[in-house]
Amino acid sequence: MTVTFKVLAIIIAVSLLGGLCVHAQTSQQWRDSLSVLSKQISQEPYSSDLYLRKAAVNIELQQWDYAHQTYTEVLKHEPTNLAALYYRGFVNGKMRRYDLASADYKTFLTYAPTNIEARLGLAYTLVKRGKRFDALDQYNTIVEQHPDSAVAYASRACLEEDMGQYDTALFDWEKAISLSPSNNDYLLSKANLLVKMNHKSDARKCINELLQRGVARADIEELLKLCK
């Protein structure tokens, strides 16, 4: 995985998981919660709330099969349950079932076409399926729908850079930075791109800014060497 796609994976994961209403717990506490929820499910009539809460815990425990089964059960009762569609898409992606993940996100988007997280998820699954131009179309749509979203520009920049479209990628990194000035990952990504473009003096300016912000020199030592 290239540096840009490592960044993209992080962007997507944070975006997709942002809607899960969970709190920091130990693995054992999650398992205890799961036991309680499973018992409630077995004793009560169907409740989408209980099923969705259980699936969220399955995700925390990285029990992808169980989470998938639970979301599928919800969708049997409620085919248009957007939470189940959205997170089943995420789980399918974690299981590397990218075609199924794409299908879930597409279905979700028929009901909520401007949802940025679902469209980001769809674009990412298209990238993983090798459909980069289709993915770029999705990122273009995201930017059109959410012109004030730093994530939208950063996500598109990752793909553009991987496709060798360096000038447009640089524009998007700069736009993302302007919308989220304190994001060190964006600034680091811009510096990496500038090195690829052989704009080493500009890359060094980005690096100096990162050092001033307190980023450890050891973390960007390799990039520093490339700027010499």
Side-chain angles (χ1 to χ4, degrees), residues 1-226:
M1 181 180 288
T2 65
V3 172
T4 49
F5 270 86
K6 286 180 181 178
V7 174
L8 179 55
I10 292 169
I11 291 170
I12 299 300
V14 170
S15 297
L16 294 183
L17 286 173
L20 282 177
C21 297
V22 295
H23 305 284
Q25 296 189 53
T26 65
S27 178
Q28 186 56 52
Q29 287 174 321
W30 284 122
R31 293 183 186 281
D32 291 342
S33 297
L34 184 59
S35 295
V36 171
L37 288 166
S38 296
K39 184 176 181 180
Q40 289 178 311
I41 287 172
S42 68
Q43 294 176 343
E44 298 182 18
Y46 169 76
S47 165
S48 62
D49 178 63
L50 285 177
Y51 274 81
L52 292 173
R53 286 165 59 193
K54 174 189 174 295
V57 176
N58 290 141
I59 287 177
E60 286 293 326
L61 293 170
Q62 298 186 18
Q63 297 175 341
W64 310 122
D65 280 320
Y66 289 122
H68 187 277
Q69 291 170 16
T70 304
Y71 288 129
T72 298
E73 186 64 27
V74 172
L75 290 168
K76 286 180 181 177
H77 290 84
E78 306 171 47
T80 60
N81 187 297
L82 295 187
L85 273 171
Y86 175 75
Y87 285 110
R88 191 175 70 173
F90 171 77
V91 169
N92 272 322
K94 297 300 289 187
M95 298 170 76
R96 300 184 180 180
R97 299 172 177 172
Y98 299 118
D99 54 341
L100 296 178
S102 292
D104 280 337
Y105 289 132
K106 286 179 180 178
T107 301
F108 180 101
L109 288 166
T110 62
Y111 300 104
T114 62
N115 183 277
I116 187 170
E117 290 85 2
R119 202 167 288 279
L120 282 169
L122 173 58
Y124 185 64
T125 59
L126 289 169
V127 170
K128 299 300 286 186
R129 294 170 64 195
K131 298 178 179 293
R132 296 191 298 175
F133 287 101
D134 290 340
L136 187 58
D137 286 342
Q138 291 299 323
Y139 286 128
N140 289 337
T141 298
I142 293 168
V143 168
E144 290 171 6
Q145 292 177 339
H146 305 276
D148 296 326
S149 169
V151 169
Y153 289 98
S155 300
R156 188 170 68 175
C158 288
L159 180 57
E160 290 167 336
E161 185 172 341
D162 189 69
M163 295 173 70
Q165 300 177 8
Y166 290 166
D167 289 334
T168 51
L170 180 59
F171 171 85
D172 279 344
W173 281 125
E174 291 176 342
K175 185 66 177 179
I177 291 168
S178 71
L179 291 168
S180 183
S182 63
N183 191 304
N184 290 341
D185 289 333
Y186 295 169
L187 189 57
L188 180 59
S189 295
K190 177 184 174 182
N192 272 294
L193 175 58
L194 287 168
V195 169
K196 290 181 182 179
M197 299 173 73
N198 203 33
H199 296 171
K200 294 183 179 180
S201 60
D202 290 334
R204 186 57 192 255
K205 291 177 184 178
C206 294
I207 293 170
N208 289 338
E209 174 65 24
L210 288 167
L211 292 171
Q212 290 174 9
R213 294 183 185 186
V215 174
R217 189 180 185 87
D219 292 341
I220 52 177
E221 190 65 37
E222 290 301 316
L223 189 57
L224 277 166
K225 291 178 182 178
L226 293 174

